Amino acid sequence: MTPSKLLIAIAAGAASALLFAGVVLQSGSAVTLALAAPIPIFIASLGWGSLAGGLAAVIAAVVVGAISGAVSGGILMFAAIALPAAIAGHLAGLAKPAPELEAAASRPFPSRAGNTQPTLIWFPVEHILFAIALMATLACLGLGWYFGYDIAALKPEIVAALRQGDSSSQISGLELDAVAGLLLSLVPLVQPAVLTLTLAVGLYLAAWITRISDRLQRPRDDLPTAVHLPPVALVLFAGALAASFVGGTVELVALVVCGAFGMAFTLVGLARLHARTRGRSNRGLLLFVAYAAIVILSFPLIVFTAFGIYDTLQRMRPSPPA
């Protein structure tokens, strides 16, 4: 590794750690900065290679562990943000020669005409999105096991926090217990969904920044038409949805899978919206209304999740004979 790449990796790791520090230090005002924590690692990986991205991930985890004074802080950073960002950045940089170029290279007398750039086939966007959802699932499951996620044990702490925040004391103990139970039951579903969204949006923003600096080798993907999910994602999502009614540990694991891949299908549905509204005079208004409804009401996410599932089902159908 050249000195310049080493410096970039160190700077990216330190920047990512500082953005994530609010989580481990339990600073409410800085928690939102953690959503941008994967972006420096993505930039290092996309612009300076997978080795720089991997080193930035390790440095970020070490710095977070040093800041928090606990190994658990570094593990949280590495498993949830740093490692998935390094892997996703590596996948986005993978490419191979097109089949016709491989065939031409195997000929005994390859053509010498032209100095054109070779055509490359880049790692598909749909597989990158699938990998992000899978990594978010594994990260949340691993961290839940490591930190010992137990609703019964955590409920008294949540109730105490809610009671402390309710200065008027107009809410009864039973109501606080019900609210705490609802919040804890939603964590296995919401946490992987947020992590999937954070990694996917972070990769998009990092690619945009790296492209502006002319460091990104991958050509620009037409995301509205390129964002899909492979059929195996639908199989995992359907199986997890069925298993979520079992109860116990199986239910918690299934909810994590549903949260991560549900958000991935939602992103596919939003991509379909962008693709279908192209060329329309009211496109800007339609997109604004759709995103405003999601931000304000939240439940429209389910509609776009259904669109993403429908898109995957459509792609699973055999193409009609020519």
Side-chain angles (χ1 to χ4, degrees), residues 246-272:
V246 173
T249 304
V250 175
E251 179 186 4
L252 293 177
V253 173
L255 287 175
V256 171
V257 177
C258 287
F261 282 93
M263 178 54 69
F265 280 115
T266 303
L267 293 175
V268 174
L270 290 171
R272 299 283 70 73

Side-chain angles (χ1 to χ4, degrees), residues 153-181:
L154 293 173
K155 183 179 289 187
E157 299 180 10
I158 301 298
V159 171
L162 292 174
R163 183 175 288 111
Q164 184 179 3
D166 180 30
S167 57
S168 61
S169 300
Q170 296 178 353
I171 303 178
S172 65
L174 291 177
E175 291 174 336
L176 286 176
D177 188 77
V179 171

